[in-house]
Amino acid sequence: MQLNINSIDYRGSIVDGPGVRTILYVQGCEQRCEGCHNPSTWDKDKGKIVDVEEIADQLNKNCINKKITISGGEPLLQREAVVELVRLLPDFNIVLYTGLSIEAVPRELLAKVDYLKVGRFHIEERTTVDPYIGSRNQRFIDLRRNYQ
Ligand code: SF4
């Protein structure tokens, strides 16, 4: 199975979930939110097609603390490949960012992902103080506590 990705950022983010995290940006998003932080990920015809096994290998080699955030772009546009990637990383702490609602998240991901950010970005509700979200309509959910 393959995933179209924009990039993997190993520099260590502290704003995309708890701790210092590697960010996997998937390619493609249809939401076109005004003020989006990453419009280069919108076009699904751009990006880089990579085998999911290869992405898992790279993360195992290069992400020492095993904390990743799957962001975008909209990861759920490629939900089967994302489910497969998460399945290949059983000992990783994983945050999934989606602009969709929790109802759109497959059960397999609700069961295996640690944290979930849901909701599209609303520039009128932009926040720089609430942790791990960009606008106040979004929710950052600890799935381990609430659903698993
Ligand atoms: S859902 Fe996220 S990636 Fe997509 S346009 Fe909105 S802010 Fe950008």
Side-chain angles (χ1 to χ4, degrees), residues 26 28-39 41-42 71-75 97-100 117 119-122 138:
V26 303
C29 183
E30 295 168 344
Q31 303 249 29
R32 308 285 194 266
C33 306
E34 184 188 349
C36 170
H37 64 294
N38 210 354
T41 63
W42 288 1
S71 185
E74 174 49 67
Y97 270 44
T98 174
L100 304 179
K117 192 277 308 180
R120 70 195 296 275
F121 177 66
H122 289 175
Q138 297 174 324

Side-chain angles (χ1 to χ4, degrees), residues 2-80:
Q2 295 179 314
L3 187 63
N4 186 9
I5 70 170
N6 178 278
S7 55
I8 303 177
D9 186 346
Y10 292 104
R11 288 174 297 176
S13 166
I14 56 167
V15 297
D16 295 288
V20 179
R21 313 192 72 89
T22 293
I23 315 297
L24 168 63
Y25 294 100
V26 303
Q27 186 71 27
C29 183
E30 295 168 344
Q31 303 249 29
R32 308 285 194 266
C33 306
E34 184 188 349
C36 170
H37 64 294
N38 210 354
S40 68
T41 63
W42 288 1
D43 188 346
K44 67 179 173 46
D45 296 324
K46 294 188 175 163
K48 198 166 36 175
I49 308 281
V50 187
D51 285 338
V52 169
E53 289 80 6
E54 189 186 327
I55 298 171
D57 282 352
Q58 283 184 27
L59 289 169
N60 269 306
K61 275 189 207 122
N62 300 318
C63 178
I64 308 296
N65 71 358
K66 295 187 184 289
K67 291 184 180 184
I68 62 162
T69 296
I70 303 173
S71 185
E74 174 49 67
L76 296 183
L77 287 180
Q78 303 181 73
R79 65 189 66 206
E80 287 178 19

